[in-house]
Amino acid sequence: MSAAQRAEHDEATYDVIVIGGGGAGLRAAIEATAQGAKTAIVCKSLFGKAHTVMAEGGMAAALRNVWPEDGWDVHFRDTMRGGKLLNNWRMAQIHAQESPDRVLELEEWGAMFDRTPEGLILQRDFGGHRYARLAHVGDRTGLELIRTLQYRAVELGIDVLMECNVQRLLLDDGHVAGAFGYWRQTGRFILLRAKAIVLATGGAGRSWRVTTNSWESTGDGLRLALEAGADLMDMEFVQFHPTGMVWPLSVRGLLVTEGVRGDGGTLKNKNGERFMFNYIPEFFKAETADSEAEADRWYQDKKNNRRTPDLLPRDEVARAINSEVKAGRGTPHGGVWLDIASRRSADYIKRRLPSMYVQFKELADVDITKEAFEIGPTCHYFMGGIRVEADSAATTVRGLFAAGECAAGLHGANRLGGNSLSDLVVFGRRAGLHAAQFAAAQRAPGAVDPSDLDAAAARMLAPLERQDGEDPYAIQSDLQDTMQDLVGLIRTQSELDEALVRVRSYRDRLSRVSARGDAKYNPAWNLSLDLDSMLTVSEVCTRAASMRTESRGGHTRDDFPTADPEWAKVNVVVRRKDGELSLQTEPLPQMPADLKEIATGEGKATAAAAPQTT
Amino acid sequence: MTETTEQVRRDATVRVFRGEDRTSGQFVEYTVPVDPGMVVLDVMFRVQQMRAPDLAVRWNCKAGKCGSCSAEINGRPKLMCMTRLSSLPPAEPITVAPMATFPLVRDLVTDVSFNYEKAKTIPAVRLAPPGPDGKRRMFQEEVDRVQEFHKCIECFLCQNVCHVIRDHEENKEAYAGPRFFVKLAALEMHPLDTRDRIEMIRAREGLGYCNITKCCTEVCPESIKITDNAIIPLKERVVSEFYDPLAWVKRRIFGGPDDGAKEPAAVADR
Ligand SMILES: Cc1cc2nc3c(=O)[nH]c(=O)nc-3n(C[C@H](O)[C@H](O)[C@H](O)COP(=O)(O)OP(=O)(O)OC[C@H]3O[C@@H](n4cnc5c(N)ncnc54)[C@H](O)[C@@H]3O)c2cc1C
Ligand code: SF4
Ligand code: SF4
Ligand code: FES
């Protein structure tokens, strides 16, 4: 970009900039504003449309409205066990302790959760949670969460820069000085100067063919953080949700909420067998029902019965479905059956799962109140992400914070359903708080180096200037096939090696990409730039997956099928040094003895949580 | 029946509006192969991949949940991601145009910032304090009707069809539109909210302009009964609270039904 062009870009200055308008970004911005920081939210899509809007089932918090036996310690234990103890224990503790307050605060700001007969917030069952714990609004909890926070942000007068895409973070002597990006509607560049930045850019599932994620989930925040010098962690752990739609092709991957199973639905193979009873792992045997009768009784009486295996953590269920299909017991389109029709009344289903009812009716011509439907695993959630300090959400770069799905640690090797929405508000708030405090201690935003802007602008303009280059849609499509086929639910060394070769070849193609047309609302250009993030995430995920030679949670190796106690002690950490990625293992933070006792199943809390067999 | 239509349709011809302003822009015809079960948004992706990479389309969830992909399909306001090809006549080309009421950005994308500005004019919820245990009690029966309004995905299709906005640019200043009547109704019917917005609904949000044509209700993809459940009850409240001098005096002197807790929201409130 010439000096003249550079002079033309828009410019704005804030104390705190939050990149991301999902639950995490909104909550961060609300808190930063409450702390007195001049704050802006930047998001790629329209305000109120972020991926969070799609969340269905609910948000986990030990409110104890339905089960007084519940408590933060039980929630902590469930989260740690779901994550195969690889979680950052301190994050899991904070999350379990603070989530009830964050839910009540949403109610204060206007959220209308479903109610118990006593008029309190109703809680529903979800996989891996000992008690019915998820505050919810039918099956559209994410919509309620985002609207509530969106209108709270409006009330506080927070600036929202929407359809604005951040492409680079700017540093001054190693600490954050701002961000550079473009407006999608005009293609104009914008320079944002800030004392602190919160990354809340969400997940990265878009690199897989079959996914629940929207186009936004390209992992931009992960790339931005890595380039700025921050660490990524746990990038090998990708959650494949067991129940995505499989037919028709047009909706393949679309989420079917776990709430279907939470509310009584059950998985069956083509022979009508409830196969999950054959897949109960040793680790969960003591707390899982081993007969259909006990599993069915559990919905009503949790004290005297153990949980149905249909609600084992997601990694277990996804692998079981995969095995059934491989063994030839799948449905016509390569999934298994999910049946709630034969188990609950049509009225109940329509009331509890209204969006699911409509989704199947309109998009698949299936009436879920009358028949079972086909489902199969779909790429859903990134446990890994930006490494943060547990209490403050600070990254290793000064002035840079991260929260929500783009941050790592809370969920360990596998996330429990409902623990993301609560994560967003618990750590979104903390990120906003600490970013505001950090900003208050700075006199002015750092200096911006004009040569950084030149470099960023040149990189962004290149796809528009190039004629007859590679087609961005074709690169995306090839990448999605590669990640789906070779870095999916089940992995093996030779396939991971092949994936890495291919991903690098796409990188090469991306350097020759050309987007036809100009910069104004041009999806081909937007995709060309997003592909940079998608390829970075894919490479990092593939390399981390090759490194971890064991199976744990959302990372399953065909060639190393069991968990390895040595790998239980370390995270895989990724950083960029001199332009090159480096991966290494680092020891997990040590869990204090009292919490360890809770997490591993003895101790006070677990006495309450222990399955009681009669 | 849908099965057979879909088997017949191997490719689809779409006429898509292209351009940066409504007068110089025009419909361009594309024919692309299609698969069973496809929605109109899938066809737009095919057009991008095979024919027009820079075709501007706004979307996000592709599941009818975010309200980004509003457009006029064969002249009818709809979500592109929830409109199955099998629901459209197979023999004719499918016309896809941007929403007519909002300024055009490019192709199918419009500038919907009008709605975001209107959102800022609505005084937020302010609840009565919680019980001694820190919790609030509301019953499912009272929550139900508000939950209907909270289903709104802000697709702005209702704003797009409402003739008060569509045909009279000058009304935009003093008229919130159906989406925001839904929002106001949700606040007014919140069992624990303490604010009184009736005066501002009348004076500033322009409820009186609505003449109950129900066009908004017809297009709502969330099947919210905008007119029957939101607008009409609001109109009744305006009439009884504002034009009934007795009720007005009573409200001023003795406070609202919840013992003076209702605080009138200033018209100038941001
Ligand atoms: C279908 C579905 C159902 C789910 N259901 C549940 C559930 O029931 N319970 C639960 O706990 N979890 C659920 N999840 C997971 C949960 O919804 C997500 O993990 C969570 O919403 C992520 O929120 P976030 O705030 O981190 O990011 P997102 O909501 O993904 O928002 C990311 C934001 O960052 C912005 N952004 C990204 N890159 C850039 C950039 N370069 N420049 C500017 N802005 C950028 C985007 O525009 C967006 O505003 C579900 C997920 C899916 C897909
Ligand atoms: S009923 Fe009222 S708000 Fe709805 S479209 Fe008609 S005039 Fe507009
Ligand atoms: S009320 Fe219905 S039509 Fe209007 S914006 Fe909301 S969802 Fe769309
Ligand atoms: S893309 Fe979200 S509603 Fe159509």
Side-chain angles (χ1 to χ4, degrees):
Chain A
M1 179 166 64
S2 71
Q5 266 175 307
R6 196 167 61 232
E8 253 182 64
H9 62 238
D10 296 337
E11 209 173 306
T13 303
Y14 291 92
D15 295 327
V16 176
I17 291 171
V18 177
I19 305 174
L26 284 163
R27 189 62 190 85
I30 288 167
E31 193 62 24
T33 305
Q35 298 295 322
K38 187 178 176 221
T39 305
I41 296 171
V42 189
C43 50
K44 289 207 280 196
S45 48
L46 290 178
F47 193 36
K49 314 275 182 214
H51 190 65
T52 297
V53 84
M54 299 174 74
E56 297 170 355
M59 57 197 299
L63 290 163
R64 311 170 70 208
N65 289 350
V66 177
W67 294 92
E69 296 85 343
D70 202 3
W72 77 262
D73 41 7
V74 193
H75 191 183
F76 167 79
R77 170 187 184 270
D78 292 346
T79 302
M80 293 297 299
R81 288 175 68 85
K84 306 287 148 52
L85 301 174
L86 214 66
N87 326 48
N88 177 306
W89 65 266
R90 178 64 186 146
M91 288 177 87
Q93 182 188 28
I94 291 172
H95 169 254
Q97 288 174 335
E98 294 183 1
S99 51
D101 284 349
R102 297 284 80 77
V103 173
L104 293 176
E105 167 184 272
L106 288 169
E107 188 169 70
E108 170 99 35
W109 295 339
M112 283 266 184
F113 295 102
D114 287 353
R115 318 305 296 181
T116 66
E118 299 75 38
L120 297 174
I121 295 173
L122 180 61
Q123 299 178 270
R124 80 157 31 118
D125 281 311
F126 242 52
H129 292 281
R130 168 81 188 144
Y131 296 110
R133 187 178 282 147
L134 272 68
H136 61 278
V137 186
D139 52 7
R140 49 168 198 83
T141 314
L143 175 65
E144 192 73 11
L145 176 82
I146 209 161
R147 264 316 159 265
T148 303
L149 294 174
Q150 172 188 346
Y151 278 91
R152 177 71 182 164
V154 167
E155 186 187 3
L156 295 175
I158 297 173
D159 283 356
V160 180
L161 286 62
M162 57 186 182
E163 300 206 299
C164 180
N165 190 320
V166 172
Q167 285 291 315
R168 181 170 178 146
L169 297 182
L170 303 164
L171 301 180
D172 177 8
D173 194 23
H175 68 86
V176 154
F180 193 63
Y182 66 93
W183 296 102
R184 288 174 66 209
Q185 290 199 14
T186 58
R188 234 180 119 80
F189 292 143
I190 175 164
L191 167 62
L192 293 161
R193 313 181 62 173
K195 297 175 186 166
I197 291 185
V198 177
L199 289 169
T201 52
R206 208 63 205 163
S207 297
W208 279 258
R209 167 76 60 203
V210 179
T211 177
T212 62
N213 288 193
S214 76
W215 70 267
E216 290 193 298
S217 304
T218 51
D220 296 356
L222 309 187
R223 172 175 70 81
L224 294 173
L226 204 54
E227 288 174 0
D231 292 351
L232 304 187
M233 193 176 86
D234 292 342
M235 287 294 292
E236 63 276 32
F237 296 111
V238 180
Q239 179 167 82
F240 287 79
H241 195 292
T243 62
M245 290 175 79
V246 298
W247 193 257
L249 270 187
S250 151
V251 290
R252 183 156 206 159
L254 202 62
L255 184 75
V256 177
T257 176
E258 192 165 313
V260 176
R261 282 169 288 140
D263 288 345
T266 187
L267 295 164
K268 292 175 180 170
N269 62 22
K270 77 167 184 196
N271 306 322
E273 188 191 357
R274 285 170 68 174
F275 59 83
M276 279 310 300
F277 290 93
N278 308 330
Y279 294 92
I280 305 170
E282 206 47 55
F283 193 64
F284 291 106
K285 272 229 159 84
E287 57 203 75
T288 309
D290 54 13
S291 74
E292 294 188 11
E294 182 181 0
D296 288 348
R297 283 197 307 267
W298 168 84
Y299 283 98
Q300 306 308 329
D301 178 2
K302 295 196 169 51
K303 269 183 231 161
N304 300 310
N305 298 285
R306 295 169 299 173
R307 186 192 310 139
T308 169
D310 283 309
L311 286 172
L312 278 165
R314 290 177 176 170
D315 50 332
E316 311 289 353
V317 182
R319 275 191 298 268
I321 293 171
N322 190 65
S323 306
E324 285 298 297
V325 174
K326 271 207 169 144
R329 293 189 290 273
T331 53
H333 301 105
V336 295
W337 298 113
L338 179 52
D339 171 27
I340 188 163
S342 75
R343 296 170 54 83
R344 297 288 184 264
S345 74
D347 270 359
Y348 178 88
I349 298 169
K350 282 189 208 164
R351 183 163 48 79
R352 303 280 304 165
L353 303 159
S355 321
M356 282 305 107
Y357 175 73
V358 172
Q359 181 173 314
F360 275 91
K361 191 105 189 154
E362 307 242 312
L363 298 176
D365 301 316
V366 168
D367 182 345
I368 65 168
T369 68
K370 296 209 172 77
E371 51 186 318
F373 46 93
E374 290 181 75
I375 56 87
T378 172
C379 179
H380 185 56
Y381 185 89
F382 259 68
M383 271 70 73
I386 304 161
R387 185 192 208 180
V388 289
E389 202 269 313
D391 286 81
S392 65
T395 70
T396 46
V397 173
R398 278 175 54 74
L400 185 64
F401 300 77
E405 187 169 343
C406 71
L410 169 61
H411 309 292
N414 173 55
R415 174 180 72 96
L416 294 187
N419 269 359
S420 170
L421 293 186
S422 42
D423 171 9
L424 306 183
V425 280
V426 167
F427 291 101
R429 176 186 151 276
R430 280 178 169 264
L433 175 70
H434 291 276
Q437 286 174 353
F438 182 91
Q442 315 297 310
R443 223 173 302 135
V448 168
D449 181 348
S451 69
D452 284 349
L453 300 190
D454 279 342
R459 173 189 155 277
M460 284 154 70
L461 289 173
L464 290 172
E465 284 161 355
R466 233 174 260 128
Q467 304 295 322
D468 300 324
E470 288 279 343
D471 170 14
Y473 297 102
I475 302 177
Q476 169 177 256
S477 178
D478 291 348
L479 173 67
Q480 288 173 332
D481 284 339
T482 293
M483 295 307 283
Q484 186 71 33
D485 297 345
L486 305 178
V487 197
L489 181 60
I490 313 284
R491 299 151 177 188
T492 190
Q493 193 60 51
S494 56
E495 292 186 352
L496 293 170
D497 291 343
E498 171 65 21
L500 196 58
V501 171
R502 289 199 209 167
V503 169
R504 286 179 173 156
S505 77
Y506 306 145
R507 173 68 68 189
D508 191 44
R509 281 165 66 185
L510 184 63
S511 68
R512 286 176 312 214
V513 77
S514 105
R516 269 200 277 156
D518 61 23
K520 193 174 173 183
Y521 222 110
N522 180 348
W525 181 49
N526 303 163
L527 176 60
S528 303
L529 300 178
D530 287 351
L531 272 168
D532 193 354
S533 307
M534 294 170 74
L535 290 176
T536 301
V537 167
S538 302
E539 172 166 358
V540 169
C541 172
T542 306
R543 288 177 61 182
S546 318
M547 195 161 173
R548 186 173 280 274
T549 46
E550 65 153 357
S551 293
R552 180 181 302 273
H555 170 67
T556 306
R557 294 276 307 245
D558 222 6
D559 41 357
F560 298 94
T562 53
D564 175 341
E566 286 308 307
W567 277 106
K569 298 177 191 157
V570 291
N571 297 112
V572 175
V573 173
V574 187
R575 65 177 67 104
R576 222 169 66 142
K577 265 199 222 128
D578 312 319
E580 292 292 313
L581 290 177
S582 87
L583 283 80
Q584 65 239 24
T585 57
E586 290 187 21
L588 294 179
Q590 274 306 306
M591 188 166 14
D594 54 334
L595 290 180
K596 204 176 220 160
E597 227 172 90
I598 298 176
T600 52
E602 290 114 55
K604 163 194 154 283
T606 30
Q612 295 156 10
T613 35
T614 44
Chain B
M1 148 94 206
T2 47
E3 278 294 297
T4 36
T5 334
E6 287 185 355
Q7 274 154 17
V8 173
R9 210 197 278 270
R10 291 259 154 65
D11 45 39
T13 301
V14 280
R15 299 180 65 241
V16 185
F17 181 88
R18 304 271 342 241
E20 291 181 22
D21 74 75
R22 304 220 185 233
T23 37
S24 68
Q26 51 192 315
F27 286 90
V28 179
E29 198 165 286
Y30 304 99
T31 300
V32 290
V34 295
D35 299 320
M38 271 192 165
V39 294
V40 170
L41 187 58
D42 287 311
V43 181
M44 296 301 111
F45 295 162
R46 284 272 156 98
V47 171
Q48 288 176 334
Q49 285 153 15
M50 305 177 78
R51 306 288 307 283
D54 61 344
L55 171 66
V57 181
R58 185 185 274 137
W59 68 284
N60 210 341
C61 68
K62 197 175 175 286
K65 294 192 169 126
C66 73
S68 299
C69 65
S70 305
E72 304 196 357
I73 300 168
N74 289 351
R76 295 192 52 86
K78 284 182 176 243
L79 298 176
M80 284 186 270
C81 71
M82 293 300 282
T83 307
R84 295 271 295 271
L85 293 185
S86 56
S87 70
L88 303 168
E92 298 149 32
I94 300 160
T95 317
V96 190
M99 286 193 283
T101 302
F102 307 115
L104 187 66
V105 173
R106 174 179 221 165
D107 303 343
L108 300 177
V109 176
T110 57
D111 173 0
V112 291
S113 51
F114 162 74
N115 302 290
Y116 288 95
E117 290 309 313
K118 284 292 160 194
K120 293 181 188 166
T121 66
I122 294 177
V125 73
R126 189 170 298 158
L127 300 194
D133 59 353
K135 293 186 175 179
R136 290 189 162 86
R137 281 167 182 74
M138 292 183 261
F139 295 91
Q140 190 62 45
E141 309 80 72
E142 21 176 37
V143 161
D144 275 340
R145 58 180 187 169
V146 180
Q147 284 185 335
E148 179 192 4
F149 304 142
H150 282 205
K151 288 194 308 191
C152 171
I153 57 173
E154 299 203 328
C155 64
F156 308 128
L157 285 171
C158 57
Q159 303 285 88
N160 175 50
V161 294
C162 178
H163 69 100
V164 182
I165 312 174
R166 195 168 174 127
D167 303 338
H168 304 276
E169 178 67 30
E170 70 281 7
N171 284 345
K172 280 189 174 170
E173 189 58 33
Y175 185 71
R179 155 56 187 139
F180 297 101
F181 297 144
V182 167
K183 173 82 188 156
L184 285 161
L187 289 163
E188 281 297 297
M189 295 179 199
H190 191 302
L192 299 178
D193 179 57
T194 60
R195 274 179 153 167
D196 180 357
R197 299 172 188 77
I198 292 300
E199 162 59 8
M200 63 96 56
I201 290 173
R202 188 195 65 86
R204 167 140 152 211
E205 308 293 358
L207 186 69
Y209 286 101
C210 160
N211 54 348
I212 321 192
T213 58
K214 298 203 178 187
C215 312
C216 50
T217 303
E218 274 165 33
V219 299
C220 178
E222 287 294 312
S223 311
I224 301 172
K225 297 210 174 63
I226 304 175
T227 18
D228 289 358
N229 294 353
I231 294 177
I232 293 173
L234 281 184
K235 279 180 178 269
E236 283 167 1
R237 286 186 187 208
V238 169
V239 170
S240 68
E241 286 214 22
F242 196 78
Y243 294 106
D244 176 350
L246 250 181
W248 188 85
V249 169
K250 209 169 123 211
R251 189 157 52 89
R252 290 297 121 134
I253 298 174
F254 304 108
D258 38 7
D259 208 21
K262 284 254 177 200
E263 164 210 335
V267 175
D269 213 337
R270 33 155 284 101

